[in-house]
Amino acid sequence: MQKRLMSLSLIGAALLFLLTGCCGEPVQPSVEFEIQAAPATFSVPGQMITLAYTVRNPNQLMQVEIVDGSRGAVCEPFPLASSADQKTCTLLYTTTAADVAAGAIHISAVARASAESEGCATEPLTSEINASLELALVADESTAPLDPSNWPIFSVACNPDTTQMDILIDTGYAWLTPQARAVFSASDGETTYTCEVPDLPGRVRCYGSQSSTPGPLTFCIQRDTDPSPVCRTYTDFPDWLVGLSCQPEWELLSTGCDGTTQIFFVIDTGYEWMESGGLYSFTADDGEVTYWCAAAQDPGKVNCYGQDPVSPGPLEFCFQRPEDTSPVCKTFADFPARMNSYTCQPTPTVPVACSSITSPTTCQSTPGCKWDTSPNKCVPKP
């Protein structure tokens, strides 16, 4: 009887196996999940940060979705197949004023993995893996609010090379270098200055012609991150210019008659870099005669020609290069006394065809001829 019961038990077990199959322990889907940010810190509102959500090393074939707690679904659900598989989804986040006020940004998300159960006809198995990241507020001096109260005028001087005013403003910003993305403006109501950052971090050099009646200087800085310029007005700027003369160190050299009724004189600028044929412009006027001037072959010197004046006044001579914001001038008060010692009389000469003369100097000194700068040739005087 006992053997019969045992046989029936074995038969029942076999029937159960055939009906249900062999179900092992179900395997929960799992992955590694992390969040990264670039940059990993922030400084101001409106800063763009890239958030990267990565899942990797699945333990079986599964479907994965990533949901950010504050921003919703990061990307469409996607499959992962093997332990070597991984997927990264990214979002662009723009920082806000509330983030700056809070001093940090907290990022949290969940990766939901779903996989079919092997062996037994049950519902898919799911797992949730959480990840989080905190971005800290870091004070960035190059993007922090500008404080114009800390921008003193460091110096005001006459540049002997350009005879223009050089103004040096010390902002104290170590990040302010020639490579900094910033623009400047400066004006005293009469002169608009050109400004740039020299190789002195934090300082700004502004230069321009000396104003005759300067007002307060307004100086402004604007970076890419600034919605508008930040400015400071220096009411004491005119005081810096009291007693500061910016006359060029130019000399009036040889003067005399050029063998005709014309006056010839030379201005020595001392600029060794000045060359004949350079792109310079000159003006010279004594109140009665306007003279024609050109750079001489001798570096630094300028030759000027014109009719013999009857009652000349002080000579004002001006010079300007293409890079200069305005002409640089000097007045020679002794010019009338030097000219009064000359009486240029015409020298009888055989008439010469002006068109045959190719030298501007010779043309200007030839009676009845003048140098026409438009076609650059010698033509008869009207």
Side-chain angles (χ1 to χ4, degrees):
M1 185 67 177
Q2 186 176 2
K3 288 183 178 181
R4 185 179 178 185
L5 290 174
M6 184 178 294
S7 298
L8 289 174
S9 297
L10 291 173
I11 293 172
L15 289 173
L16 182 63
F17 175 80
L18 292 174
L19 290 174
T20 64
C22 182
C23 290
E25 289 293 327
V27 178
Q28 289 291 126
S30 68
V31 291
E32 297 174 3
F33 182 36
E34 69 173 352
I35 307 173
Q36 293 182 326
T41 59
F42 69 104
S43 304
V44 293
Q47 185 175 344
M48 300 295 292
I49 296 178
T50 300
L51 300 175
Y53 305 78
T54 301
V55 289
R56 63 171 65 89
N57 295 331
N59 66 343
Q60 58 184 300
L61 177 63
M62 63 181 66
Q63 195 79 0
V64 180
E65 65 173 344
I66 301 174
V67 178
D68 187 293
S70 301
R71 297 156 196 88
V74 176
C75 54
E76 294 292 327
F78 54 88
L80 289 179
S82 66
S83 61
D85 203 0
Q86 73 173 34
K87 171 77 172 181
T88 298
C89 296
T90 59
L91 280 181
L92 280 179
Y93 178 71
T94 303
T95 60
T96 66
D99 295 329
V100 174
I105 302 174
H106 186 72
I107 311 294
S108 63
V110 59
R112 296 192 178 100
S114 176
E116 296 292 336
S117 176
E118 296 182 1
C120 296
T122 63
E123 292 295 323
L125 300 176
T126 61
S127 297
E128 291 189 353
I129 302 93
N130 295 297
S132 63
L133 176 68
E134 186 170 280
L135 307 181
L137 176 68
V138 175
D140 184 352
E141 291 185 356
S142 66
T143 56
L146 298 174
D147 183 4
S149 65
N150 293 326
W151 304 346
I153 293 180
F154 185 80
S155 65
V156 178
C158 175
N159 187 319
D161 294 329
T162 63
T163 63
Q164 292 187 331
M165 299 306 303
D166 262 3
I167 308 163
L168 200 60
I169 295 175
D170 189 358
T171 68
Y173 300 141
W175 52 264
L176 190 54
T177 65
Q179 293 73 39
R181 298 171 67 91
V183 294
F184 312 95
S185 63
S187 175
D188 62 14
E190 179 180 335
T191 300
T192 297
Y193 299 89
T194 300
C195 299
E196 62 187 13
V197 178
D199 291 328
L200 296 169
R203 295 185 180 177
V204 181
R205 172 181 171 252
C206 299
Y207 55 92
S209 300
Q210 186 175 23
S211 299
S212 57
T213 55
L217 176 73
T218 299
F219 170 72
C220 303
I221 301 177
Q222 184 173 11
R223 302 161 299 182
D224 288 352
T225 55
D226 297 325
S228 59
V230 179
C231 306
R232 175 175 175 177
T233 298
Y234 302 86
T235 57
D236 62 338
F237 178 69
D239 297 336
W240 284 81
L241 304 181
V242 173
L244 184 61
S245 175
C246 207
Q247 287 287 319
E249 299 294 329
W250 300 339
E251 294 184 50
L252 178 61
L253 297 184
S254 56
T255 59
C257 293
D258 193 33
T260 67
T261 57
Q262 286 198 333
I263 287 293
F264 169 79
F265 58 88
V266 178
I267 303 289
D268 186 0
T269 67
Y271 302 148
E272 295 296 326
W273 43 262
M274 185 189 298
E275 298 177 352
S276 176
L279 297 177
Y280 320 119
S281 62
F282 308 95
T283 60
D285 193 291
D286 63 12
E288 178 184 333
V289 176
T290 297
Y291 299 90
W292 177 87
C293 301
Q297 293 293 331
D298 192 359
K301 294 183 174 60
V302 181
N303 296 331
C304 297
Y305 303 86
Q307 293 299 316
D308 185 11
V310 177
S311 56
L315 175 72
E316 183 179 60
F317 173 77
C318 300
F319 166 52
Q320 185 172 8
R321 301 168 299 178
E323 62 268 28
D324 293 331
T325 57
S326 58
V328 177
C329 304
K330 179 174 181 177
T331 299
F332 296 89
D334 62 337
F335 185 73
R338 299 185 67 165
M339 290 301 101
N340 288 338
S341 63
Y342 296 100
T343 302
C344 297
Q345 297 293 330
T347 301
T349 57
V350 178
V352 176
C354 297
S355 59
S356 66
I357 302 174
T358 58
S359 167
T361 303
T362 304
C363 178
Q364 290 293 118
S365 62
T366 300
C369 298
K370 72 170 185 176
W371 187 261
D372 193 336
T373 58
S374 178
N376 282 324
K377 66 180 182 181
C378 191
V379 297
K381 289 183 179 179

